[in-house]
Amino acid sequence: MLVVVGPDIDSFVSEVWRIARFIAYDDYVSIERQGGPGKEYRMFSRSRNGLAFEVAVRASE
């Protein structure tokens, strides 16, 4: 899993989607907002062979 940490700014969600569009290359990419304190999203790429990669994007405090 790759972890990306960035500033907790108003455009954080827009940045998450920008990253998702950049890394989407296979059959399917999903984005899930993680529960708990802080802001974190996980992106999963799925291919015919199974899970291809996982990226976590976290807002720094």
Side-chain angles (χ1 to χ4, degrees), residues 2-50:
L2 176 67
V3 178
V4 178
V5 179
D8 188 2
I9 56 177
D10 291 339
S11 63
F12 177 74
V13 174
S14 296
E15 289 299 310
V16 170
W17 281 102
R18 185 182 66 78
I19 292 168
R21 285 191 296 272
F22 180 75
I23 63 175
Y25 70 92
D26 215 336
D27 296 336
Y28 179 73
V29 173
S30 66
I31 300 177
E32 298 175 1
R33 182 162 192 249
Q34 303 299 295
K39 296 179 185 173
E40 180 176 336
Y41 290 81
R42 294 228 175 152
M43 294 173 233
F44 302 91
S45 171
R46 304 201 192 305
S47 66
R48 292 184 181 107
N49 298 331

